[in-house]
Amino acid sequence: MSKEERKNEGKNQYSIIIPTYNERLNIALIVYLIFKHLRDVDFEIIVVDDGSPDGTQDIVKQLQQVYGEDRVVGTAYIHGLKHASGNFVVIMDADLSHHPKYLPSFIKKQLETGASIVTGTRYVKGGGVHGWNLMRKLTSRGANVLAHTFLWPGVSDLTGSFRLYKKSVLEDIITSVVSKGYVFQMEMIVRASRKGYRIEEVPITFVDRVFGSSKLGGSEIVEYLKGLAYLLVTT
Amino acid sequence: MKHIFKIISLLAAISAFWVGLLQASIIPRTHTWLLPIYLVVSLGCYGLLMVGVGLMQFPTCPQEAVLLQQDIAEAKGFLKDKGVDVGSD
């Protein structure tokens, strides 16, 4: 690490936001792994749970006993990022498809380049996916080519949701985003790109453990195309 | 400038070029009329090629699934000792 990076790193705090729904076991595992991989980093974990029926919030309370209430925060809704006290925000999934072991590489990339956003990409060498069948890969690749043809987004993985943002940048973009779901992720990165924010990528691996759930049926494809058309015209 | 305007400008430039070709008669008229179709078909083929190549080169990581299982076991062990309920899913 350079002297500049070390100087900058000392003052940074990272707020890691993890939305959950019925992730009783996974949230405990992911909190453990984050603490394991970010030993010398000033961070807090914000679990956003809207009252999952499986008692995820109870587990969060147990985790607070182990790690401290200042390091693990539970909240029912994100409410304009008010709960995040860091100057950087990481957003990741709770189901372990996003592995905390990549967090240091996100942080390092940001410190090296001063980027406003660092996004994880599954589609480059060093990254990858496990647990997808051929059909899933086909639709993913097709969607990617389509999006690149029409949107010229400047990133290789548009729908990825493992990202590090400068908090000020996140707050700036999120106000103009109206989509939901994975189109939300696309809209965020495309709007950031249009506004001229510097976006860097790091390879990540994505292990999809949700076997059998068809996340890409006909209606999802239609939704995607509508999202793409919307982004084409409004960004 | 909004992205859509960039695309429209690009299409306008291509159209102007095409009309220019029609009027200048450098290429036989019958060929020139077909040029837009050739362009669309070429783009389509290129797109399909990109999808095919991307599919073949799709990076996979089966070893990551194994590593993940190890991480999960390690995490469960630690958390159980600390009193966190890791029994159910």
Side-chain angles (χ1 to χ4, degrees):
Chain A
M1 209 189 300
S2 71
K3 216 155 139 203
E4 181 67 31
E5 285 172 335
R6 217 187 301 271
K7 186 181 76 154
N8 286 334
E9 201 198 26
K11 303 186 207 138
N12 293 325
Q13 193 200 19
Y14 298 85
S15 297
I16 304 173
I17 299 180
I18 309 178
T20 61
Y21 186 73
N22 285 347
E23 299 283 7
R24 186 189 168 88
L25 175 58
N26 287 332
I27 193 63
L29 302 175
I30 208 171
V31 167
Y32 169 80
L33 288 170
I34 292 174
F35 275 92
K36 177 182 173 184
H37 288 281
L38 287 184
R39 286 209 194 282
D40 296 317
V41 176
D42 182 11
F43 69 90
E44 58 174 0
I45 301 176
I46 303 176
V47 181
V48 182
D49 183 78
D50 271 322
S52 293
D54 74 345
T56 302
Q57 285 181 346
D58 298 331
I59 300 296
V60 173
K61 291 204 179 77
Q62 290 178 9
L63 291 166
Q64 285 179 317
Q65 296 305 309
V66 177
Y67 293 105
E69 283 176 1
D70 55 329
R71 306 304 297 281
V72 180
V73 178
T75 175
Y77 50 93
I78 194 62
H79 206 175
L81 301 176
K82 273 186 206 163
H83 292 276
S85 56
N87 56 332
F88 286 99
V89 176
V90 173
I91 304 185
M92 58 192 297
D93 289 349
D95 63 358
L96 293 174
S97 56
H98 296 155
H99 199 298
K101 69 183 174 189
Y102 294 107
L103 286 169
S105 65
F106 276 84
I107 293 174
K108 183 163 192 275
K109 189 72 170 183
Q110 195 285 324
L111 289 172
E112 280 171 357
T113 62
S116 296
I117 303 178
V118 180
T119 179
T121 170
R122 300 160 287 182
Y123 299 143
V124 301
K125 199 152 187 260
V129 175
H130 177 78
W132 281 6
N133 60 12
L134 187 64
M135 197 59 203
R136 182 71 183 83
K137 286 183 196 170
L138 180 64
T139 44
S140 159
R141 184 65 193 159
N144 216 273
V145 168
L146 214 56
H148 273 87
T149 305
F150 289 106
L151 289 180
W152 313 347
V155 293
S156 63
D157 190 344
L158 266 179
T159 51
S161 49
F162 194 177
R163 295 187 186 146
L164 164 69
Y165 299 84
K166 276 187 188 168
K167 186 165 161 202
S168 54
V169 173
L170 180 60
E171 285 168 339
D172 179 29
I173 313 171
I174 209 164
T175 50
S176 31
V177 170
V178 296
S179 317
K180 295 194 172 46
Y182 55 84
V183 183
F184 169 85
Q185 302 299 341
M186 288 167 61
E187 190 174 352
M188 289 286 284
I189 209 77
V190 170
R191 288 208 185 275
S193 179
R194 302 287 186 248
K195 288 199 179 196
Y197 286 119
R198 177 156 181 184
I199 304 173
E200 293 288 335
E201 291 190 302
V202 294
I204 57 165
T205 55
F206 183 95
V207 177
D208 195 341
R209 296 155 71 210
V210 189
F211 303 120
S213 88
S214 161
K215 294 190 236 179
L216 270 159
S219 63
E220 266 93 10
I221 295 179
V222 169
E223 190 193 324
Y224 175 79
L225 292 174
K226 288 205 300 202
L228 202 56
Y230 166 78
L231 288 177
L232 181 61
V233 175
T234 59
T235 62
Chain B
M1 190 200 317
K2 278 224 169 118
H3 183 70
I4 186 73
F5 295 140
K6 278 192 207 162
I7 298 212
I8 290 175
S9 317
L10 185 64
L11 288 175
I14 295 176
S15 305
F17 177 71
W18 179 59
V19 170
L21 272 182
L22 276 177
Q23 292 184 332
S25 295
I26 306 170
I27 310 174
R29 280 278 172 88
T30 42
H31 286 356
T32 319
W33 277 110
L34 290 174
L35 276 177
I37 303 179
Y38 292 157
L39 184 66
V40 170
V41 170
S42 307
L43 278 177
C45 288
Y46 179 73
L48 285 174
L49 186 70
M50 287 291 103
V51 171
V53 167
L55 199 58
M56 283 196 302
Q57 292 179 336
F58 209 108
T60 57
C61 50
Q63 73 283 1
E64 291 293 331
V66 175
L67 289 174
L68 184 60
Q69 289 308 314
Q70 290 173 356
D71 282 333
I72 292 175
E74 181 189 317
K76 277 187 177 175
F78 176 87
L79 292 166
K80 212 161 158 188
D81 284 341
K82 297 277 182 173
V84 180
D85 178 14
V86 289
S88 49
D89 195 355

